[in-house]
Amino acid sequence: MKKILKGEKILITAGPVWVPIDKVRIITSIFAGALGVIMAEKAKEMGADVLLLMGPGRAKLNKKGLKVIRFKYFNELFGIMKKEISSKKYDVIIHSAAVPDYIPEKVFDGKIKSGRKDLIIKMKPTIKIVDYIKKWDPSVVLIKFKLQVNSKEKELIKIAKKSMAKSKADIIVANDLLKMTNNKHIAFIISNEEIKKIDTKNNLAKELLKTISFKI
């Protein structure tokens, strides 16, 4: 594989992110972190110096020697990203972790007793970590991901472009949950006015990294 990213420093976030309800229960997502792992391994093969921030997902690393920091909770991820990105030592940030949009207003102390018929957990929006990245380091190339469910292609692309502008991202990957299977992963890589339609995770990782190489 061509070393088109040789010498570049890339930080990639991947996997689910937990938010606690009580001392033993969490809210999380269905995602395993497979795409983030594939991107990290391919970026390393392309010559990049990669740091992978990996949540508690099911995806397994296949390559030895990859630098990994493990995290579980939202606050952990926020703290690690702030520290790493504020150091201004990265050229590229690929933020693919499945960060929750909401967190409980109150984390119950201990364990919520079972058998309750009307348990209500009030939620509040989480901080949008991706919106802080360009504030921590305006010079990084930022890749954002936007997931929708059951959206038509034109609608998905329109929503993604709006999201891209909000976070000042350089590239955004737009995908729809219903177009993801074990063998297929329909997604769109959007960079300025260029849009590439992709059909698998492996192709998405390769094409995204190629696109990034032209942005650095």
Side-chain angles (χ1 to χ4, degrees):
M1 188 173 287
K2 292 182 179 180
K3 303 292 185 181
I4 59 174
L5 295 173
K6 187 175 181 180
E8 304 297 341
K9 295 184 181 298
I10 301 178
L11 184 151
I12 300 174
T13 70
V17 182
W18 291 356
V19 292
I21 297 174
D22 59 19
K23 294 296 184 184
V24 297
R25 298 182 180 92
I26 57 167
I27 296 172
T28 188
S29 71
I30 63 173
F31 299 105
L35 178 59
V37 169
I38 292 169
M39 290 190 295
E41 293 178 342
K42 288 191 181 300
K44 184 175 174 59
E45 289 175 9
M46 292 178 178
D49 181 3
V50 181
L51 173 63
L52 174 63
L53 306 185
M54 184 67 188
R58 303 179 301 280
K60 294 182 179 179
L61 297 172
N62 299 309
K63 302 289 184 183
K64 293 183 179 180
L66 191 67
K67 290 185 288 186
V68 181
I69 295 178
R70 299 275 182 175
F71 70 89
K72 292 181 179 178
Y73 293 97
F74 176 86
N75 289 341
E76 286 181 85
L77 176 61
F78 183 87
I80 295 167
M81 289 185 70
K82 182 179 181 180
K83 178 183 176 182
E84 291 293 329
I85 299 169
S86 295
S87 71
K88 296 180 170 56
K89 62 184 178 183
Y90 296 96
D91 303 297
V92 180
I93 309 295
I94 304 176
H95 188 38
S96 70
V99 181
D101 292 317
Y102 296 94
I103 192 168
E105 287 186 359
K106 174 187 175 183
V107 177
F108 288 83
D109 190 24
K111 178 178 177 287
I112 301 170
K113 291 182 179 180
S114 60
R116 295 177 61 168
K117 296 181 180 180
D118 59 350
L119 177 63
I120 296 173
I121 299 174
K122 291 185 178 181
M123 309 290 284
K124 63 181 180 179
T126 52
I127 297 167
K128 291 289 185 183
I129 299 177
V130 70
D131 291 345
Y132 281 80
I133 292 174
K134 286 283 193 172
K135 295 176 183 178
W136 292 330
D137 186 355
S139 68
V140 296
V141 174
L142 172 59
I143 293 81
K144 182 179 183 178
F145 283 69
K146 186 64 177 176
L147 175 74
Q148 294 293 112
V149 179
N150 198 25
S151 292
K152 293 181 180 179
E153 287 188 4
K154 286 185 178 179
E155 180 187 11
L156 175 62
I157 291 168
K158 182 179 179 181
I159 291 170
K161 284 184 175 181
K162 186 176 179 180
S163 178
M164 179 181 176
K166 185 176 183 295
S167 301
K168 298 181 180 179
D170 300 278
I171 300 168
I172 193 163
V173 177
N175 38 212
D176 189 298
L177 182 65
L178 301 187
K179 302 292 176 60
M180 298 180 192
T181 65
N182 289 334
N183 299 318
K184 289 285 184 180
H185 187 120
I186 305 299
F188 298 89
I189 299 172
I190 303 169
S191 174
N192 297 328
E193 294 304 314
E194 184 181 12
I195 300 174
K196 296 179 184 177
K197 187 174 182 179
I198 311 298
D199 58 358
T200 68
K201 282 188 176 69
N202 275 309
N203 286 339
L204 175 54
K206 285 190 288 187
E207 287 301 321
L208 179 58
L209 292 169
K210 285 180 185 177
T211 304
I212 290 168
S213 71
F214 293 115
K215 286 280 187 180
I216 300 172

